[in-house]
Each structure stands twice: as C-alpha cells, then as structure tokens.
Amino acid sequence: AFVMGMLLSGSRYRLQVEATLEPYKGVLMSLFFVAVGMSIDVRALSDAPLLFAQHTAVLILLKLGILLGLVLAFGYSRDVALRVACYLAQGGEFGFVLFGSAQVLGVIDQTTFIQAVGVISVTMLLTPILVRAGDALSRLLETRGGEQPERYAPGVPESPHKLVVIGGYGRVGHTVATLLHASGVPLVVFDTDAGRVAHGRKDGLQVYYGDVGDPALLLSAGVANASLVVLTIDKAASARRAVAHIRTSFPGVPIIARARDLATVTRLLAAGATDAVPDVIESSLCLASLALQLVSVPQLEVEMLVQGARERNYKLVSSE
C-alpha cells in the first residue's frame, strides 16, 4: 500500500486520487492515531522513565542534526533549514509498522517494542512545540542577519501570468493549451480520457486525469488562485455542471466555456459562465469572412460585419 501510494502520488492521476480520498483521510487518520494511543503501555514506560526520556531526546536531536545539514546542503538559508528540521524532527508513523514487523519476526522483544512505540508517539505529541521553537529561532536569525539574500527555490518557474485551468483535452482543448503554453502562460489541463491525458503528456503539457466538475479536485489543483478556467468539454450537460460547481465554489474566477449552439450558450451563461463561445457559429463566421474577402469585399467591412454578428448574442446570424 505504501509503495502503491508513492507511485500514484507521482502519476497523472494524483489530483483525482487526492480529491476522491480527501473525505476519508481525516477519519482514517483519527482511527490510526487512536489505535496507536491505545497501544502505548504507560505502566511499562513508567518503570524506566530515564531510559525513555533519553531515547526520546536522542531521536529528536539526531533528526534535527541530520535534517539541518541536508537542508543547508541543498542550498537553503539557515532560517529555512531550522524550520524544516523542527517540522520533521518527530518520529514517523511508518516506524510503527517497522517495529511491529520486527517484533513479529523476533528481531526485538516486547520491552523494546513498547519503548519504540512510546518514543515515536511522544515525539509526535511534541511536534507543535518544535514547530513553535523552529519559527521563533528562524525569526531570530532573520532579525540578527538583517536583509536575507534571495532564497534558492528549485522548480518554481518565473512567470508574470497566473495559472489557467483547462477542462478537456480534445481538439479544442489541445489548441487552447498549445497557444497558452507557447505564450508562457502556466496551465494545468484535466480530462477523463486516459488516452488524451497520455497524449497531452507526450506534448509536454501538464495534463492530468480528473473530472473538472469535481470541487475537491479543483481545490487541490489551486483553482481558487487561478486567473481563468477554460472549459472545452464537448458534452453540454457536463460543461454546465462544471460551470455551476466552479461558480459556487470559486465565485471570483472567470470561466470561458465552449458551446455547440446558442441554446447551449444561454444555459452556460445562466449557470455562471463569464462567456461562452458557440463553435459551430464561430466556424461559420470564419468561413463567411473568408468568402467575403475572396469576392473582394473590403477587409474593414468584413471585420465590421463579423463583429456585428458577434454582438447581441449572435442574433444577426441566429436561425432560431
């Protein structure tokens, strides 16, 4: 389960998996820590309190020293290294699994297992205190050191644009994503077709498996801080549902949606879309514009005709 979790966390399905498991995470973590607390034998630990305290102190000090050295070696400043070391100085819950297996295999005895479980549990309980200590020490370093040099932040691209979220990686979504990517705009794309996701990955884009209408997925993708959501979904019902979810959860984010016809445009706008584009009518306008140019109609007149057709919700060219 641990290895499978690690593999999924680096796959193109990770955001959808995270959104699906989020409602159960709190319950399972609570159950896990309750079970751990029930397994601590306080009476056995009280028989050797000094030894227990020594083990706890040694574990925290060792992890502090190792983590501090590693973070500094990777080029971060001292205040960041202190914070990271204090945040991660506690024992890990994976230790419960390792010591439990060791006890079953006869590598350690019952007394050692009780000591180990107690030490890990107590270091976890000390985490809030360590976090506060790390923050205080890092602030002290910042105050004494004056102005800090620019920190090393690997993997963070510099871009004047905010994130754009695209729903759907079909032909329309591919075109939109390619043009945005070529312009240096950071983007993330979601599609429920694994084949399209794989194709997007081959194109070098951040394409993930997921339903863009899932509020939990949108939250994990950072839509709250996005500059725009573009929906290129072909199915009108799915697009309308996605627009409604996004508008309810993130009312300040603009939404541009693709529509088949004017009726779909009206429904998408009613659901909360900022704007909707009917692709059939737009392709017809492009074809008409080209035809007018080929029969020697002046370019300015053609542009005025096309713009006039787009105004007032395409009423000029509506067949309804």
Side-chain angles (χ1 to χ4, degrees), residues 3 12 19 81 86 137 162 170 192 229 256 264 293 304:
V3 173
R12 56 180 177 268
C86 291
L137 289 172
K162 293 176 68 177
T192 54
V229 174
I256 299 176
T264 306
Q293 293 178 43
M304 292 178 62

Side-chain angles (χ1 to χ4, degrees), residues 235-307:
K235 296 180 180 178
S238 300
R240 192 165 64 252
R241 177 172 58 88
V243 169
H245 283 318
I246 296 169
R247 180 56 64 228
T248 301
S249 303
F250 312 100
V253 179
I255 306 170
I256 299 176
R258 170 198 181 190
R260 277 289 182 181
D261 48 36
L262 291 178
T264 306
V265 168
T266 302
R267 287 192 287 267
L268 288 171
L269 292 175
T274 307
D275 202 354
V277 180
D279 51 6
V280 174
I281 295 180
E282 279 295 330
S283 62
S284 301
L285 288 177
C286 290
L287 185 61
S289 175
L290 181 60
L292 289 169
Q293 293 178 43
L294 290 176
V295 295
S296 302
V297 176
Q299 177 69 28
L300 181 59
E301 185 177 342
V302 173
E303 292 177 358
M304 292 178 62
L305 282 170
V306 173
Q307 184 60 32

Side-chain angles (χ1 to χ4, degrees), residues 19-81:
T20 304
L21 296 180
E22 185 66 31
Y24 310 100
K25 185 172 68 174
V27 175
L28 293 175
M29 288 184 66
S30 300
L31 179 63
F32 172 77
F33 284 111
V34 166
V36 169
M38 294 173 65
S39 67
I40 299 174
D41 191 341
V42 179
R43 183 177 300 176
L45 293 176
S46 63
D47 292 339
L50 184 59
L51 181 63
F52 174 70
Q54 288 175 346
H55 287 162
T56 304
V58 167
L59 175 62
I60 292 176
L61 291 174
L62 276 175
K63 291 198 70 176
L64 280 173
I66 293 171
L67 288 167
L68 192 64
L70 285 174
V71 177
L72 289 173
F74 275 91
Y76 289 90
S77 59
R78 288 182 299 170
D79 58 315
V80 172

Side-chain angles (χ1 to χ4, degrees), residues 10-301:
S11 72
R12 56 180 177 268
Y13 304 100
R14 63 182 179 88
L15 292 175
Q16 183 65 63
V17 170
E18 180 183 346
T20 304
L21 296 180
E22 185 66 31
Y24 310 100
K25 185 172 68 174
V27 175
L28 293 175
M29 288 184 66
S30 300
L31 179 63
F32 172 77
F33 284 111
V34 166
V36 169
M38 294 173 65
S39 67
I40 299 174
D41 191 341
V42 179
R43 183 177 300 176
L45 293 176
S46 63
D47 292 339
L50 184 59
L51 181 63
F52 174 70
Q54 288 175 346
H55 287 162
T56 304
V58 167
L59 175 62
I60 292 176
L61 291 174
L62 276 175
K63 291 198 70 176
L64 280 173
I66 293 171
L67 288 167
L68 192 64
L70 285 174
V71 177
L72 289 173
F74 275 91
Y76 289 90
S77 59
R78 288 182 299 170
D79 58 315
V80 172
L82 269 174
R83 278 196 172 98
V84 172
C86 291
Y87 283 17
L88 302 178
Q90 75 277 6
E93 58 271 16
F94 201 60
F96 298 128
V97 181
L98 292 177
F99 283 112
S101 300
Q103 184 192 19
V104 171
L105 295 173
V107 178
I108 60 175
D109 56 17
Q110 179 70 15
T111 303
T112 305
F113 174 73
I114 292 173
Q115 283 279 348
V117 171
V119 167
I120 295 173
S121 302
V122 169
T123 57
M124 286 182 170
L125 288 173
L126 293 174
T127 300
I129 299 174
L130 290 170
V131 169
R132 284 177 175 268
D135 288 341
L137 289 172
S138 62
R139 284 195 297 268
L140 183 62
L141 278 178
E142 289 176 352
T143 304
R144 288 186 175 182
E147 185 177 356
Q148 294 291 319
E150 186 177 357
R151 294 175 184 171
Y152 170 61
V156 179
E158 294 183 1
S159 174
H161 306 285
K162 293 176 68 177
L163 180 71
V164 174
V165 178
I166 301 175
Y169 194 71
R171 287 173 296 178
V172 179
H174 168 76
T175 302
V176 174
T178 301
L179 292 177
L180 288 173
H181 181 68
S183 300
V185 178
L187 57 93
V188 60
V189 188
F190 294 102
D191 200 296
T192 54
D193 188 318
R196 290 178 180 175
V197 174
H199 179 67
R201 289 285 180 165
K202 289 180 181 178
D203 293 339
L205 300 174
Q206 295 295 318
V207 184
Y208 296 97
Y209 180 88
D211 181 7
V212 75
D214 185 349
L217 175 69
L218 295 171
L219 185 63
S220 63
V223 175
N225 298 318
S227 60
L228 177 66
V229 174
V230 181
L231 297 177
T232 65
I233 305 171
D234 188 32
K235 296 180 180 178
S238 300
R240 192 165 64 252
R241 177 172 58 88
V243 169
H245 283 318
I246 296 169
R247 180 56 64 228
T248 301
S249 303
F250 312 100
V253 179
I255 306 170
I256 299 176
R258 170 198 181 190
R260 277 289 182 181
D261 48 36
L262 291 178
T264 306
V265 168
T266 302
R267 287 192 287 267
L268 288 171
L269 292 175
T274 307
D275 202 354
V277 180
D279 51 6
V280 174
I281 295 180
E282 279 295 330
S283 62
S284 301
L285 288 177
C286 290
L287 185 61
S289 175
L290 181 60
L292 289 169
Q293 293 178 43
L294 290 176
V295 295
S296 302
V297 176
Q299 177 69 28
L300 181 59
E301 185 177 342

